[in-house]
Amino acid sequence: MITVEDAEFHRGRSQDPQWTETLWFPFAVPEKAIYGGLYLVSRPNIGVVMCDVTVQDRMADSWDQALYVDNQQHLPCPESLLGFTHPKGYSGKGVDPLKRYELRYEGYDDTRIDLTFDALMHPYDMNDPAIDPLAAARQGGGWDASFNGHYEVTGRIRGTARIRGVDHAIDYVDTGDRSWGIRKERGTSTVAWFHGSFGEGLTFHILAATDPVNGMNFGKVMTGYILEEGSVYGVTALEGDFAMRGVVVTSANARITDTRGKTFNFSGTAVSTNPWAPCPNALYAQSMMRWEHEGQTGYGTLQQGMDRGYVTKFRDAFKI
């Protein structure tokens, strides 16, 4: 079970310099294909943090085709994740940790972001067998060391985003996450992290293994949940496939079964893409997806997470 203490740095858990704590909040304007995120990757043992603000709005094949990028490495690590201000202009406050955050960003080229995140659920602990039906089958917790501590939380995101002088109103439902563990910068797993929300009534979330060079289908599901009308149900099974252009996913289908035995079929099409690189070793090829389910339309992200060693090894397969 995730507690309020898990919203804060887990100082003292490890002395490893690669101990890492992350915090991710998304924002979007679906009708304009705009998808962005505020992301921190902190290494408190060595006192540094990477702070990233990236916004996409088109079917892009390279990071420099994004609408806006501000990625800065090796900033001073904040003392707290519940109240922080970075030199680059990103500040956040856990007004009610696990439930409500206030987020501010002052960028360049007349760019400002002002958001609130209000959780619609208690954070989902992928490593607690009492919560996640797939947790007990994993050895040692998580699925690799960087996910030994991890949760997702779906919430309502409201506010404004002024990107290069153009104002956008933000009001929609999406899923953020937080993790803590030893995160190496080489040899990370290849996975798909994706979800979609149909207003406050229905959200699905999935983390699944992939190996796109050897088949564009979702492999073993690591964790996931269905949030339906305020109640959360762990995912027990996943079937599905996807299509790619280069390193980005352009469409996907997912058949998901939860602990009730209820099955959902989601079909998604990318409306914007961006080969995002939040860390130097990692390529999180991100697609903003328009999802369809039983006549409903929803939105969310699909990140194809790949190590650069994997991508460069198979560069001809990706036609890079």
Side-chain angles (χ1 to χ4, degrees), residues 13 47 63 78 103 108 144 163 171 202:
R13 290 281 186 92
W63 199 13
L103 309 165
Y108 63 91
D144 68 13
I163 311 296
D171 186 1
L202 177 64

Side-chain angles (χ1 to χ4, degrees), residues 71-258:
N71 180 291
Q72 295 187 39
Q73 310 282 332
H74 306 138
L75 295 171
C77 186
E79 290 298 316
S80 172
L81 285 176
L82 299 182
F84 57 85
T85 299
H86 288 288
K88 69 173 292 178
Y90 176 34
S91 62
K93 182 179 181 181
V95 178
D96 188 352
L98 307 184
K99 294 182 179 179
R100 181 178 177 85
Y101 279 81
E102 295 177 350
L103 309 165
R104 308 284 184 272
Y105 168 72
E106 291 282 344
Y108 63 91
D109 282 354
D110 197 9
T111 296
R112 297 187 299 277
I113 299 168
D114 189 331
L115 302 174
T116 58
F117 180 95
D118 291 292
L120 297 173
M121 57 182 284
H122 190 80
Y124 189 80
D125 187 348
M126 67 177 283
N127 295 316
D128 187 341
I131 295 172
D132 190 325
L134 303 177
R138 297 189 215 103
Q139 295 182 358
W143 112 87
D144 68 13
S146 64
F147 275 65
N148 280 348
H150 185 86
Y151 64 75
E152 269 83 23
V153 56
T154 299
R156 188 112 204 170
I157 301 138
R158 298 181 177 93
T160 58
R162 183 175 180 85
I163 311 296
R164 298 189 185 277
V166 180
D167 291 319
H168 306 280
I170 309 295
D171 186 1
Y172 86 125
V173 176
D174 206 341
T175 299
D177 83 334
R178 168 153 160 64
S179 69
W180 56 96
I182 297 172
R183 182 171 296 202
K184 298 180 180 180
E185 294 212 2
R186 184 171 65 186
T188 53
S189 303
T190 302
V191 297
W193 185 82
F194 64 104
H195 42 255
S197 293
F198 301 78
E200 295 189 7
L202 177 64
T203 289
F204 74 91
H205 170 74
I206 292 288
L207 174 69
T210 60
D211 184 8
V213 170
N214 293 305
M216 294 189 186
N217 57 282
F218 297 117
K220 181 179 180 180
V221 58
M222 305 298 178
T223 185
Y225 62 80
I226 296 288
L227 171 62
E228 187 172 28
E229 301 301 338
S231 296
V232 179
Y233 308 94
V235 166
T236 58
L238 166 70
E239 298 176 357
D241 55 22
F242 51 90
M244 298 178 70
R245 183 187 69 195
V247 297
V248 298
V249 171
T250 55
S251 63
N253 298 287
R255 180 178 176 85
I256 299 169
T257 303
D258 67 20

Side-chain angles (χ1 to χ4, degrees), residues 1-75:
M1 172 73 74
I2 299 299
T3 67
V4 172
E5 287 73 22
D6 291 317
E8 183 57 284
F9 283 124
H10 295 74
R11 296 187 186 276
R13 290 281 186 92
S14 170
Q15 300 303 312
D16 193 305
Q18 292 187 309
W19 177 267
T20 303
E21 307 221 13
T22 71
L23 186 63
W24 159 262
F25 291 102
F27 60 92
V29 186
E31 63 272 19
K32 297 181 181 179
I34 291 175
Y35 193 90
L38 304 169
Y39 192 42
L40 298 180
V41 180
S42 303
R43 294 193 184 272
N45 289 348
I46 56 176
V48 297
V49 64
M50 183 284 300
C51 189
D52 179 273
V53 180
T54 298
V55 187
Q56 64 190 59
D57 68 342
R58 63 177 61 177
M59 300 292 288
D61 295 312
S62 65
W63 199 13
D64 55 7
Q65 295 177 39
L67 176 61
Y68 182 88
V69 175
D70 187 3
N71 180 291
Q72 295 187 39
Q73 310 282 332
H74 306 138
L75 295 171

